[in-house]
Amino acid sequence: MKKAIVIGSGIAGLACSLRLQKQGYLVTVIEKNSYPGGKLHSINKKGYRFDMGPSLFTMPKLVTELFELFDENPDTYFKYKKKEVVCHYFWPDGSRFTSVANPKQWVSDASIFFNEKASKLERYLKKSALKYKVTAPLFIENSLHELKTYLSWKTAYALLKIPNLDIFKSLDHYNKSQFKSVKLQQFFNRFATYNGSSPYQASAVLSMIPSLEMLQGTYFPYEGMQAISQSLYHFAEEKGVQFLLEHKVTEIICKENKATGVQIQGLNGVESSVIHADIVVSNADVYHTYEHLLPHLKTPKKIKTQERSSSGLIFYWGIRKEFSELDLHNIFFSENYQKEFEDIFEHQRAPEDPTIYINISSKEKATDAPQGCENWFVMINVPANSGQDWALIREKAKEQIIKKLNKLLHIQLETLIETEEFLDPIKIEENTAAFGGALYGTSSNNTQAAFLRQSNRSKHIKNLFFCGGSAHPGGGIPLCLHSAKITANLIESQS
Ligand SMILES: Cc1cc2nc3c(=O)[nH]c(=O)nc-3n(C[C@H](O)[C@H](O)[C@H](O)COP(=O)(O)OP(=O)(O)OC[C@H]3O[C@@H](n4cnc5c(N)ncnc54)[C@H](O)[C@@H]3O)c2cc1C
């Protein structure tokens, strides 16, 4: 029986392990942490449960198809529901907009609130869906680095449509050309943050993202976001995937430019052994893989120099009160959006006036907080770590966040915080080996970003593959699941 090793149990590692198991490999996943899931995991504190990482769930089919691959009913393992309200938006002037999942209703609500013609809004969403349909087969569902991708008719169609995709405009430039409402421009600009980029630099091809959220919908797993990784982990174990938790891969062993296994080390740092395999898949951050696991290979320049995506500063607050004006997803916009992204990407500093995102899973799953309380995941976008003073930044950000929320929600938040945890870029890197604590690998702030991302098959080492947020096609749960699928397909086609 052929053996496969997957380094890391992030969402892509879990998905890839299942796909390889299905192909008949004997799969071992090696994970340095005591828990599976990487960024997708949760903690409990004083009666509150917090999802630590992802909070927005779209395209659930990409998860359920993993159960279906084994002819199992996904409902037995993983249940989720569609959200009717997508997000509550708040602006500094006190105005509020509720974004709903029903596209007709959304157009009607938005045309009133933003004072834009309904036909313009409909056209924008239609074009957004078309952009996704045209580009997904080329940029998301297949390898960009294999000749055969370019020989398919879908790719030829995508290439033909390039002039209609607004690739060479920035997302902000495109949104400004579509709408006069500054608030609506900001609303659609925010979608660049879904892969950790700046709307003022990233291509307008990202205007495809709203169609995924607004036309296909957003979802919530009944047991919280951690149920995505937990259910896949238990399912993989049931199907025979072996997990070695609390073991770190210290080297990918290569003979004559061919991966033949890995060197692993237990948490005590002493016990060390070698596991042989026919193929090795790294779900660890690409930079970490090159710099630390492939000592005999020079890290490619593009891996070293590519701009990282944004990171996050997150407070997990147990709040001793319930708020009827808030829902699962809530956004409190900054006054000057452009300045916020200049701070993050040009000056590498935490924004002076950050947009605040609050996720409250207890709105959907009441047991996530004690009665009468809410579990707040409060996040601002910050740059990836490049040596900033994060303790100082955290202290200042907490003050700013509290001040802003006090003003807009008419509360004294500081008196309501019962418990606190936090994540910053340093902790994110410590927990998951993500270089600089970037949330989504590399940014998409230039038009070549998709082509510069690590390919799923190593060009230097035979039988070595990459999947996850820092490899093609990029970060975020849906793209990581595509990454796992592309990688597994490449492995299948070579065996
Ligand atoms: C705060 C936050 C908010 C986010 N919000 C969203 C969201 O709302 N929606 C969304 O879709 N995405 C979101 N993301 C992004 C999303 O979480 C990631 O893109 C995705 O989870 C990355 O998965 P991955 O497969 O790349 O693996 P990761 O989650 O990065 O896991 C990699 C795993 O590899 C392990 N590992 C690394 N090196 C080694 C080694 N040498 N030996 C053994 N194990 C190793 C790590 O311990 C880790 O468990 C968010 C991320 C964060 C942190």
Side-chain angles (χ1 to χ4, degrees):
M1 201 176 191
K2 282 191 171 181
K3 289 184 180 168
I5 283 171
V6 178
I7 307 169
S9 66
I11 182 73
L14 291 168
C16 195
S17 74
L18 275 163
R19 289 184 178 279
L20 295 179
Q21 186 76 16
K22 179 67 188 171
Q23 286 176 26
Y25 282 89
L26 184 64
V27 185
T28 306
V29 179
I30 300 156
E31 168 56 59
K32 70 176 178 56
N33 292 331
S34 58
Y35 54 86
K39 299 185 180 89
L40 234 175
H41 91 113
S42 70
I43 56 160
N44 294 291
K45 203 177 171 197
K46 292 191 180 161
Y48 294 89
R49 190 194 69 85
F50 297 99
D51 282 312
M52 297 295 278
S55 53
L56 179 67
F57 183 37
T58 54
M59 308 182 87
K61 181 83 185 79
L62 294 169
V63 176
T64 55
E65 70 182 18
L66 291 165
F67 300 103
E68 285 159 357
L69 195 65
F70 291 82
D71 296 323
E72 299 281 8
N73 180 354
D75 271 8
T76 316
Y77 300 90
F78 176 67
K79 285 202 169 78
Y80 61 92
K81 56 183 165 183
K82 190 170 180 192
K83 282 283 299 155
E84 298 205 340
V85 169
V86 175
C87 187
H88 283 193
Y89 291 89
F90 298 76
W91 275 269
D93 63 6
S95 57
R96 298 171 179 199
F97 176 66
T98 301
S99 189
V100 294
N102 176 330
K104 257 194 179 160
Q105 184 66 47
W106 184 85
V107 167
S108 156
D109 294 350
S111 96
I112 296 166
F113 180 81
F114 296 110
N115 193 20
E116 291 278 2
K117 276 195 184 136
S119 57
K120 273 191 176 182
L121 295 161
E122 273 162 8
R123 206 176 327 123
Y124 188 95
L125 290 185
K126 223 173 174 179
K127 195 162 176 196
S128 169
L130 181 77
K131 280 178 182 163
Y132 181 75
K133 195 171 157 216
V134 170
T135 52
L138 174 59
F139 289 100
I140 296 175
E141 292 164 2
N142 284 294
S143 166
L144 267 182
H145 308 86
E146 304 281 320
L147 181 64
K148 96 171 191 285
T149 304
Y150 296 90
L151 302 177
S152 82
W153 67 266
K154 280 186 173 170
T155 304
Y157 181 65
L159 294 173
L160 266 176
K161 287 278 176 188
I162 276 181
N164 301 33
L165 299 176
D166 305 299
I167 288 180
F168 302 107
K169 288 177 193 155
S170 74
L171 182 61
D172 175 64
H173 181 99
Y174 173 66
N175 288 335
K176 278 196 175 114
S177 73
Q178 301 298 302
F179 305 111
K180 58 182 187 321
S181 159
V182 174
K183 282 182 182 153
L184 188 56
Q185 292 163 12
Q186 194 173 20
F187 176 96
F188 279 123
N189 274 352
R190 193 178 80 88
F191 287 94
T193 66
Y194 282 29
N195 69 6
S197 305
S198 160
Y200 302 92
Q201 295 176 56
S203 161
V205 82
L206 295 188
S207 61
M208 71 165 99
I209 303 175
S211 76
L212 302 177
E213 177 173 302
M214 297 162 75
L215 302 179
Q216 296 191 26
T218 62
Y219 299 81
F220 183 77
Y222 281 111
E223 296 305 317
M225 293 298 286
Q226 53 101 37
I228 302 173
S229 47
Q230 283 298 319
S231 63
L232 291 178
Y233 166 64
H234 292 301
F235 186 62
E237 270 198 318
E238 188 184 304
K239 295 297 163 196
V241 175
Q242 293 173 1
F243 285 86
L244 262 183
L245 299 179
E246 300 191 312
H247 280 78
K248 186 174 164 180
V249 172
T250 51
E251 186 175 342
I252 296 170
I253 298 166
C254 303
K255 290 210 173 93
E256 293 165 1
N257 283 337
K258 188 170 164 185
T260 59
V262 293
Q263 172 99 36
I264 62 166
Q265 200 169 59
L267 269 198
N268 57 21
V270 182
E271 170 214 334
S272 165
S273 56
V274 169
I275 309 184
H276 294 287
D278 298 285
I279 58 156
V280 175
V281 178
S282 180
N283 170 230
D285 186 276
V286 167
Y287 182 92
H288 170 82
T289 306
Y290 277 107
E291 285 285 291
H292 301 287
L293 309 186
L294 291 165
H296 305 298
L297 196 69
K298 207 170 157 221
T299 306
K301 197 171 160 219
K302 66 170 191 180
I303 302 295
K304 280 193 157 176
T305 54
Q306 247 179 296
E307 184 185 49
R308 298 294 118 187
S309 82
S310 56
S311 184
L313 176 57
I314 309 109
F315 294 99
Y316 306 89
W317 284 332
I319 299 287
R320 208 185 292 121
K321 186 173 158 51
E322 286 180 300
F323 291 81
S324 58
E325 64 269 60
L326 299 179
D327 194 59
L328 177 67
H329 303 291
N330 311 276
I331 286 288
F332 293 78
F333 273 123
S334 60
E335 187 84 55
N336 185 340
Y337 214 39
Q338 184 155 1
K339 166 93 171 47
E340 180 174 351
F341 287 93
E342 280 169 9
D343 279 342
I344 295 172
F345 288 103
E346 284 171 35
H347 306 296
Q348 304 287 308
R349 62 187 177 214
E352 251 173 57
D353 170 23
T355 292
I356 302 166
Y357 166 63
I358 307 183
N359 175 258
I360 311 172
S361 71
S362 60
K363 295 281 185 195
E364 300 296 327
K365 183 172 175 275
T367 53
D368 278 355
Q371 213 176 2
C373 304
E374 291 180 348
N375 63 339
W376 284 23
F377 162 119
V378 182
M379 173 167 152
I380 63 166
N381 291 317
V382 294
N385 178 39
S386 55
Q388 300 89 335
D389 183 344
W390 289 105
L392 190 69
I393 291 174
R394 195 172 72 241
E395 201 182 311
K396 204 173 147 203
K398 185 174 170 180
E399 261 175 44
Q400 285 167 323
I401 292 170
I402 289 178
K403 194 170 159 201
K404 182 162 171 170
L405 295 178
N406 281 352
K407 187 171 164 211
L408 289 168
L409 295 175
H410 314 293
I411 51 173
Q412 277 198 300
L413 187 54
E414 59 279 28
T415 63
L416 302 174
I417 301 173
E418 198 169 39
T419 164
E420 175 176 296
E421 277 295 322
F422 73 91
L423 263 191
D424 63 12
I426 307 241
K427 277 197 172 192
I428 294 170
E429 179 157 11
E430 272 169 19
N431 294 349
T432 63
F435 182 43
L439 302 190
Y440 302 92
T442 52
S443 80
S444 294
N445 281 346
N446 69 55
T447 39
Q448 294 96 50
F451 296 93
L452 292 172
R453 223 166 254 127
Q454 172 65 46
S455 55
N456 303 97
R457 187 204 303 265
S458 169
K459 284 200 178 72
H460 310 282
I461 311 277
K462 200 165 180 287
N463 293 350
L464 174 62
F465 295 83
F466 296 88
C467 70
S470 58
H472 175 72
I477 297 171
L479 294 197
C480 286
L481 289 167
H482 277 299
S483 185
K485 197 169 175 176
I486 298 168
T487 301
N489 288 345
L490 288 175
I491 293 169
E492 189 168 32
S493 66
Q494 84 163 26
S495 36

